[in-house]
Amino acid sequence: MSERYSRQVLFKPIGKEGQNKIEQKHVLIVGCGALGSSNAEALVRAGIGKLTIIDRDYVEESNLQRQQLFTENDAIEKTPKAIAAKQRLNQINSDVEVIAHVMDATSNSLSPLIREVNLVIDATDNFDIRFIMNDLSHKHNIPWIFGSCVGSTGMSYTIIPNDSPCLYCLLEAAPLTGATCDSVGIISPAVQMVVAHQTTEALKLLIGDIKALRTRLVMFDLWNNHYQTINVNRAKKESCPTCGITPSFPYLQFESQTKTEVLCGRDTVQIRSNQKEFPLDELEKRFIDLGQVKRNPFLISLNYQNFRVVIFKDGRTFIHGTSSIEKAKKVYYQLLG
């Protein structure tokens, strides 16, 4: 056994047997922002065998305050978060297999990934994606760990299919506010508190210490010194469309999937194309006379009129500078037809 993990092995609940189990497991992290990058680093340092990261976004300067894997150069180059994270994680622990996907998390993209993993960690800020994860994890019987934070507050809950309430049940019992990091801000310690809960629960699941799992929803407000755990077992409903007696998995249906959406608090609209891949070389030539163009292997960025348009190779487009879907579509069609 490598000296690298000696202090973790000395922790009796893990020990040598637990460490061996960790090194054989595969975790999927959906989202590689504040929660995702911190969870990824913790698991890579703990010696996870395989880690898959999926994220649709790229690094911006405002991320650097709390997203610990990224650097100023990542923000300057607009490096996709999943790629920047993989590069840093490989430097931290070269024994871990890290797979990075720069793409949107949809039922189609997540379905083949989730079948291959032992655990899913939620690190997204999008409830459409969370409900898709919720349905997929129950369909394939894969545990997942919910996490959310904003301002100085956060919450986390471990969801075990066929045992605990699912996210759909949970939010009916404990609905969330509409606050976002972009509207009320966030402090880094709130992120780390959620990550501490998520990563600890992940280690318990990876070594099979089911009895040690926290069965309550945890909620806190660090600034106002509040911490509570809530028994939500009674929230589980037999009629639930995800975890009930006759599940229909509604969020896996095509009509429930968003094709055009306003990104959370960012004055940005995302448009997904049916085209699976954009030819960045051709777009760069087409845009060169329209405004300032920046390009990397994964995306092309164009300052166009009063907007910043970012086109990803995988068929997605961000229209920065508006929260109007109609305006965003107009710009999109002007540039891409």
Side-chain angles (χ1 to χ4, degrees):
M1 176 99 36
S2 171
E3 178 68 17
R4 176 192 289 266
Y5 309 115
S6 61
R7 301 305 185 271
Q8 188 164 276
V9 169
L10 284 173
F11 180 63
K12 288 185 178 180
I14 294 180
K16 290 184 179 180
E17 182 179 351
Q19 186 62 43
N20 286 332
K21 290 180 179 178
I22 292 170
E23 294 175 23
Q24 296 169 14
K25 297 298 173 65
H26 183 185
V27 173
L28 169 65
I29 298 180
V30 182
C32 197
L35 293 178
S37 58
S38 295
N39 270 295
E41 179 173 346
L43 288 174
V44 164
R45 290 187 183 279
I48 188 68
K50 187 174 181 179
L51 182 69
T52 296
I53 303 167
I54 178 172
D55 193 279
R56 66 186 180 182
D57 211 345
Y58 56 89
V59 181
E60 297 184 281
E61 186 178 15
S62 62
N63 301 148
L64 302 180
Q65 167 251 351
R66 64 198 179 282
Q67 299 181 19
Q68 63 190 44
L69 288 179
F70 308 135
T71 66
E72 291 180 349
N73 189 62
D74 293 326
I76 292 170
E77 296 298 324
K78 293 182 171 53
T79 307
K81 291 182 179 180
I83 301 301
K86 174 180 169 61
Q87 292 170 349
R88 178 62 175 152
L89 293 170
N90 286 338
Q91 294 174 339
I92 292 172
N93 191 343
S94 58
D95 291 334
V96 176
E97 181 181 359
V98 181
I99 300 172
H101 294 282
V102 184
M103 62 184 184
D104 212 5
T106 66
S107 62
N108 289 333
S109 64
L110 286 176
S111 185
L113 300 179
I114 205 170
R115 296 173 188 172
E116 301 177 355
V117 305
N118 303 104
L119 172 66
V120 179
I121 294 180
D122 163 38
T124 181
D125 60 359
N126 185 303
F127 269 91
D128 284 341
I129 298 173
R130 284 184 175 125
F131 281 124
I132 290 171
M133 290 165 51
N134 192 49
D135 276 4
L136 282 173
S137 70
H138 283 79
K139 182 177 181 179
H140 298 290
N141 198 31
I142 306 294
W144 73 288
I145 304 172
F146 164 70
S148 175
C149 53
V150 65
S152 60
T153 69
M155 62 172 59
S156 180
Y157 185 67
T158 304
I159 299 174
I160 310 296
N162 303 315
D163 185 17
S164 66
C166 75
L167 183 67
Y168 191 93
C169 297
L170 191 66
L171 293 188
E172 284 197 346
L176 303 183
T177 69
T180 69
C181 299
D182 296 276
S183 60
V184 302
I186 187 168
I187 57 173
S188 182
V191 174
Q192 298 308 317
M193 178 69 87
V194 174
V195 170
H197 284 288
Q198 286 186 300
T199 304
T200 303
E201 291 290 282
L203 291 173
K204 295 174 190 177
L205 283 165
L206 294 173
I207 68 171
D209 193 356
I210 305 303
K211 292 182 179 179
L213 288 172
R214 175 176 36 78
T215 60
R216 291 172 171 248
L217 170 68
V218 62
M219 305 175 69
F220 64 83
D221 183 336
L222 292 176
W223 203 263
N224 293 299
N225 307 307
H226 297 157
Y227 186 95
Q228 62 179 322
T229 60
I230 304 172
N231 186 344
V232 292
N233 288 336
R234 295 177 64 182
K236 186 173 176 61
K237 295 182 177 180
E238 293 184 350
S239 61
C240 175
T242 295
C243 69
I245 296 176
T246 56
S248 59
F249 306 122
Y251 288 90
L252 303 186
Q253 307 304 316
F254 180 81
E255 56 269 18
S256 297
Q257 299 171 26
T258 305
K259 296 301 180 184
T260 305
E261 62 182 313
V262 180
L263 297 189
C264 179
R266 292 181 56 184
D267 197 29
T268 299
V269 174
Q270 174 182 261
I271 300 175
R272 298 183 205 152
S273 171
N274 291 326
Q275 187 173 337
K276 292 184 178 180
E277 186 170 313
F278 279 130
L280 298 186
D281 288 334
E282 293 180 20
L283 292 179
E284 185 174 21
K285 294 176 183 177
R286 190 193 307 176
F287 294 163
I288 197 68
D289 294 326
L290 296 179
Q292 183 181 5
V293 177
K294 294 193 70 174
R295 157 92 186 276
N296 65 34
F298 310 98
L299 57 85
I300 187 168
S301 174
L302 167 69
N303 290 337
Y304 177 70
Q305 297 177 359
N306 295 322
F307 308 94
R308 183 160 59 91
V309 181
V310 179
I311 302 170
F312 290 80
K313 187 177 181 180
D314 68 358
R316 293 175 297 114
T317 301
F318 286 178
I319 311 292
H320 296 285
T322 182
S323 58
S324 165
I325 290 176
E326 290 74 21
K327 288 183 180 179
K329 283 184 175 180
K330 182 178 180 181
V331 173
Y332 179 87
Y333 291 129
Q334 286 175 349
L335 295 174
L336 296 169

